Amino acid sequence: MKWDATASEEAREKMIFTDPQEVKLYLHAVDEIQRHVSSPGELESRASSAIQIAMARLEDEFRNILVSHSSPINSDSLMSSSSSSSHLEVDEDASNNNNEEDDQEEETDLLKRTGSSSSSGSATVRLPTGRGSYSRSTSSIREIELIPIDAVVYLSWIARRMVSAGYLRECIQVYGSVRKSAVDSSFRRLGIEKLSIGDVQRLNWEALEQKIRRWIRAAKVCVRVVFASEKLLCEHVFESVGAVNIHEACFMETVKGPAIQLFNFAEAISISRRSPEKLFKILDLHDALIELLPDIESVFDLKSSDSIRVQAAEILSRLAEAARGILSEFENAVLREPSRVPVPGGTIHPLTRYVMNYISLISEYRPTLVDLIMSKPSRNATDTNAPEMDFSEVDNKGPLALHLIWIILILQFNLEGKSKYYRDAALSHLFVMNNVHYIVQKIKGSAELREMIGDLYLRKLTGKFRQAATYYQRAAWVKVLYCLRDEGLRTKGSFASGVSRSALRERFKSFNALFEEVHRVQSQWLVPDSQLREELKISILEKLSPAYRSFLGRFRSHIESGKHPENYIKITVEELETEVLDLFEGLTATQQHQRRRSE
């Protein structure tokens, strides 16, 4: 009655569990009263009334101890991989120590050793073993001390008496309410927001990417540190109480809401609208969750937490399905990309860059995707415009590699279609050459991608761009080279030189006009890769220079012996070679003129 807060100002202002001697006296009095609750007559009535007062007081003390030690965990220690395990030293023999005399000896022993409730937590305390075995089975779990040891023992003593007096529900509610607030504070420090599934799905992708990165880091800490430590605390506080599964009930009362809040974010991502840019963050989420799954199963190994384990497993399955769906939709998007405006100068199409950068990233996620992509790609039966894939050429490849080869195949198919929008056949072939060469270089530049695609298919692609280069040269230069032939220059029945000077002059004029036009136009075309550009120029000169030099050698004298030879022989072999070096630089007419003036 001395500590009845409704009857005493002093009782309202002070707390019992700040004075170890008062703790001993008060708990002894409570135990004495509980022994008389079932006594007959007036004694039972008085004992019942006193127990109600005592339980109200113990509930306040229970709440006060929890609140005073329930500050959020420091974010630095949350993120530290070296967070220490709980410092509670467990006595294996104490788990069966349930009789009251042993409990009171334990309590007296603590009171003697602590002297106050402000212990730093370094004292060795006999506590039940609990179910802390998951900290040994899953090395990534890092339990930390949430509440000092002496406070944990005080909580255990109070809980034991509240449950014994029939105040189990009140005990669970107070514990769950206070500890859940602490968990919520830790969540805020980790940057985990209270977002509904709808809120998540309304966010733009840029903002969502940042939240996914933060969630992955935070989720690991929440499961391995926050939830694991809360579970261990529940076990230490409640397992000696004796009521069946009370520590399970208190654990779920504390963390079920935060756990649902945590996993709802990943669930929202797993069921959101699919688009190619989401694939890699979805895979990051999948990897993080699959890494966390053993820890989730260990921390939430109670029957009452089945729903948490099931939710995590279902999210993992949906993320895997979302990744497969996105890859399939990406393939269809590559096939049907509709742009019809030719890129200037036959350079690399934005689609080519995008697709090759995308599949390079896919190859980096190979360990994950190999397990997710189990079936070969197949052409939609209703899509008659899609190319056929000859699997016999790549019969030793796994499903993921086949999907990447399929994407490259349909990319080429789309590019072939786009090449037809060029009016100049030579530029059409140059466009194909540039783009297939870019594909080859991207494959060569990624060890993972090259291994998956394989050298056999890589050689096939190399042959493809070299073939396009050959077709370009034929389309662009055959008319120029045709001017340097002898046919049509000889006069019949002539006893002189046998060369028609008028025909020769016309031939030189045609050559000059054609070469000038090719130079003007093709200087504006682009071959972005410097090595390919130089190789193509050399290949052109290997055909053009000898032909022009030979033609000049055979017929120069016929022109120079006539009038105004400069009107017909306008360029030397050396000048021709210099002009060819201007090609494929993407120069405008003005830039070409400025270059000539500077030279």
Side-chain angles (χ1 to χ4, degrees):
M1 300 304 293
K2 170 186 173 183
W3 291 98
D4 180 3
T6 64
S8 166
E9 185 70 28
E10 182 182 4
R12 282 195 292 273
E13 291 178 354
K14 293 184 179 180
M15 303 306 293
I16 298 171
F17 282 77
T18 59
D19 184 341
Q21 191 58 34
E22 284 294 335
V23 171
K24 178 182 178 181
L25 293 171
Y26 194 84
L27 293 181
H28 178 73
V30 171
D31 294 341
E32 283 295 310
I33 294 170
Q34 283 188 310
R35 276 196 285 272
H36 294 289
V37 168
S38 300
S39 301
E42 185 181 349
L43 189 59
E44 178 186 3
S45 175
R46 290 178 62 192
S48 295
S49 177
I51 275 294
Q52 289 179 18
I53 294 171
M55 290 303 111
R57 181 71 202 197
L58 286 178
E59 183 178 324
D60 287 343
E61 296 284 341
F62 193 71
R63 179 182 291 106
N64 182 68
I65 295 170
L66 283 169
V67 170
S68 62
H69 296 291
S70 290
S71 57
I73 304 171
N74 182 277
S75 57
D76 292 336
S77 65
L78 281 174
M79 289 301 188
S80 172
S81 61
S82 60
S83 298
S84 61
S85 295
S86 173
H87 296 116
L88 290 169
E89 185 176 314
V90 175
D91 186 332
E92 297 291 338
D93 296 327
S95 60
N96 298 318
N97 187 3
N98 289 322
N99 82 36
E100 189 176 288
E101 290 182 6
D102 289 340
D103 292 340
Q104 290 193 354
E105 286 177 12
E106 175 191 328
E107 294 168 9
T108 303
D109 182 55
L110 175 67
L111 292 168
K112 285 178 182 176
R113 283 185 283 105
T114 58
S116 76
S117 62
S118 60
S119 165
S120 65
S122 60
T124 299
V125 183
R126 291 165 59 86
L127 287 173
T129 55
R131 298 183 58 187
S133 60
Y134 60 83
S135 63
R136 291 183 289 277
S137 63
T138 311
S139 61
S140 54
I141 287 177
R142 297 286 184 269
E143 301 127 325
I144 62 176
E145 183 182 281
L146 299 174
I147 294 179
I149 297 169
D150 57 328
V152 170
V153 177
Y154 282 161
L155 291 169
S156 181
W157 293 346
I158 296 171
R160 186 184 307 157
R161 286 160 176 86
M162 289 184 71
V163 173
S164 177
Y167 285 75
L168 171 62
R169 183 172 60 83
E170 289 82 355
C171 185
I172 291 175
Q173 285 177 345
V174 171
Y175 183 92
S177 173
V178 176
R179 289 308 309 166
K180 181 179 179 298
S181 293
V183 172
D184 288 341
S185 296
S186 296
F187 268 36
R188 285 192 293 274
R189 288 198 171 189
L190 288 165
I192 298 175
E193 304 170 67
K194 285 190 175 180
L195 297 172
S196 68
I197 289 177
D199 292 335
V200 173
Q201 293 183 335
R202 281 190 289 273
L203 289 170
N204 66 62
W205 180 243
E206 201 170 292
L208 207 50
E209 277 189 299
Q210 296 178 352
K211 293 185 185 298
I212 289 172
R213 282 193 292 270
R214 186 184 303 140
W215 185 93
I216 289 171
R217 292 193 300 269
K220 294 176 182 179
V221 179
C222 288
V223 173
R224 293 169 174 169
V225 180
V226 178
F227 295 158
S229 300
E230 289 292 343
K231 184 179 182 186
L232 193 64
L233 179 61
C234 284
E235 291 171 352
H236 287 317
V237 171
F238 292 105
E239 194 154 30
S240 65
V241 168
V244 177
N245 294 333
I246 183 174
H247 67 280
E248 295 186 12
C250 285
F251 176 60
M252 289 308 294
E253 182 79 12
T254 301
V255 304
K256 185 173 183 179
I260 290 172
Q261 175 191 340
L262 179 70
F263 292 122
N264 272 353
F265 178 85
E267 182 170 0
I269 300 298
S270 73
I271 60 176
S272 63
R273 186 181 63 84
R274 297 172 182 174
S275 57
E277 72 272 13
K278 294 182 179 180
L279 175 62
F280 304 109
K281 283 303 170 191
I282 283 176
L283 292 175
D284 287 341
L285 269 178
H286 180 277
D287 284 351
L289 200 53
I290 205 167
E291 180 188 337
L292 268 178
L293 205 57
D295 302 322
I296 293 169
E297 291 173 348
S298 292
V299 174
F300 295 96
D301 62 343
L302 312 171
K303 184 167 182 58
S304 56
S305 55
D306 280 350
S307 60
I308 304 297
R309 296 195 306 275
V310 168
Q311 183 185 19
E314 287 179 347
I315 292 169
L316 190 64
S317 176
R318 282 196 289 269
L319 287 170
E321 183 56 38
R324 286 189 288 268
I326 288 174
L327 185 60
S328 176
E329 290 174 16
F330 177 73
E331 292 169 354
N332 289 331
V334 172
L335 179 63
R336 295 179 175 83
E337 199 280 328
S339 63
R340 296 190 174 190
V341 178
V343 291
T347 190
I348 299 161
H349 198 282
L351 177 67
T352 309
R353 294 186 188 275
Y354 176 69
V355 171
M356 292 310 299
N357 288 334
Y358 196 85
I359 67 172
S360 293
L361 280 173
I362 288 177
S363 70
E364 293 177 14
Y365 284 82
R366 179 181 181 180
T368 300
L369 284 166
V370 160
D371 293 331
L372 299 184
I373 308 299
M374 305 302 292
S375 59
K376 294 180 179 181
S378 60
R379 188 181 74 166
N380 190 324
T382 61
D383 195 346
T384 56
N385 291 325
E388 292 282 358
M389 183 169 179
D390 184 359
F391 288 104
S392 64
E393 296 179 348
V394 285
D395 58 355
N396 62 333
K397 297 296 179 184
L400 177 60
L402 291 175
H403 274 273
L404 297 188
I405 292 171
W406 170 246
I407 292 171
I408 292 171
L409 179 64
I410 57 180
L411 171 61
Q412 289 182 80
F413 182 80
N414 191 317
L415 293 170
E416 290 283 355
K418 294 183 189 307
S419 72
K420 294 178 172 59
Y421 296 121
Y422 289 101
R423 294 180 180 179
D424 190 318
L427 184 56
S428 172
H429 295 307
L430 191 78
F431 170 78
V432 172
M433 179 201 71
N434 275 330
N435 283 267
V436 178
H437 179 267
Y438 181 83
I439 293 170
V440 169
Q441 293 305 109
K442 289 295 287 187
I443 295 171
K444 287 182 176 180
S446 166
E448 296 89 352
L449 189 56
R450 182 166 188 164
E451 182 183 350
M452 295 176 74
I453 299 300
D455 288 340
L456 181 65
Y457 196 75
L458 188 59
R459 284 196 294 272
K460 182 175 181 179
L461 288 171
T462 302
K464 179 82 174 177
F465 86 74
R466 294 197 182 284
Q467 183 184 56
T470 300
Y471 289 162
Y472 149 77
Q473 290 184 61
R474 289 177 182 172
W477 294 98
V478 66
K479 289 183 180 179
V480 177
L481 291 168
Y482 192 71
C483 292
L484 303 178
R485 74 194 191 285
D486 287 2
E487 290 83 358
L489 297 179
R490 304 288 178 178
T491 57
K492 293 181 180 180
S494 174
F495 293 100
S497 66
V499 174
S500 169
R501 184 172 292 172
S502 61
L504 186 59
R505 286 174 175 172
E506 287 301 315
R507 187 67 61 80
F508 268 105
K509 287 171 65 177
S510 296
F511 174 82
N512 293 333
L514 284 170
F515 181 79
E516 185 177 337
E517 178 63 14
V518 167
H519 176 268
R520 183 188 65 79
V521 171
Q522 296 193 25
S523 294
Q524 300 176 49
W525 293 359
L526 276 167
V527 177
D529 185 87
S530 58
Q531 183 176 342
L532 178 62
R533 185 168 61 243
E534 294 310 308
E535 287 177 358
L536 192 59
K537 291 175 183 178
I538 290 169
S539 180
I540 292 167
L541 287 174
E542 283 176 348
K543 299 176 181 65
L544 185 61
S545 292
Y548 187 58
R549 181 178 286 107
S550 174
F551 191 79
L552 280 180
R554 295 195 305 276
F555 300 111
R556 178 193 293 271
S557 60
H558 296 284
I559 297 297
E560 290 179 341
S561 61
K563 295 179 180 180
H564 307 296
E566 68 278 4
N567 291 339
Y568 307 104
I569 304 177
K570 291 187 173 182
I571 187 170
T572 65
V573 174
E574 291 72 21
E575 289 170 338
L576 178 140
E577 291 174 346
T578 301
E579 296 280 286
V580 169
L581 295 178
D582 283 343
L583 304 182
F584 319 126
E585 300 280 355
L587 301 175
T588 64
T590 302
Q591 290 170 326
Q592 292 176 45
H593 179 69
Q594 289 173 344
R595 174 178 283 191
R596 288 195 194 94
R597 289 186 63 183
S598 65
E599 291 171 352

